[in-house]
Amino acid sequence: MQQIRRFLKDRRGATAIEYGLIIAVLSLAIVAGIGRTANEISDMFSNQDRALQQAFK
């Protein structure tokens, strides 16, 4: 019975889970930011390509 009480009072696992959730959210934010940046760079070069094509017509 005493082991069960000790287990229920132990908060070390909860802290590890919280850190894991923080890392997961940060990872998702980084991946989303990289994806968005890649799209913006792709659009930037596409716009430059179109501008050059129109300039030489």
Side-chain angles (χ1 to χ4, degrees):
M1 189 68 164
Q2 193 174 21
Q3 288 179 341
I4 294 172
R5 286 184 189 149
R6 223 179 322 148
F7 176 74
L8 292 174
K9 289 182 182 180
D10 189 9
R11 299 290 179 214
R12 288 180 292 179
T15 303
I17 291 171
E18 290 169 359
Y19 284 133
L21 290 172
I22 290 169
I23 291 170
V25 169
L26 288 174
S27 298
L28 289 173
I30 290 169
V31 168
I34 289 172
R36 189 173 202 172
T37 302
N39 289 339
E40 292 294 326
I41 290 172
S42 177
D43 289 344
M44 180 180 68
F45 284 113
S46 295
N47 290 339
Q48 295 296 327
D49 184 44
R50 277 189 233 116
L52 285 172
Q53 286 176 355
Q54 289 177 355
F56 290 113
K57 283 186 177 180

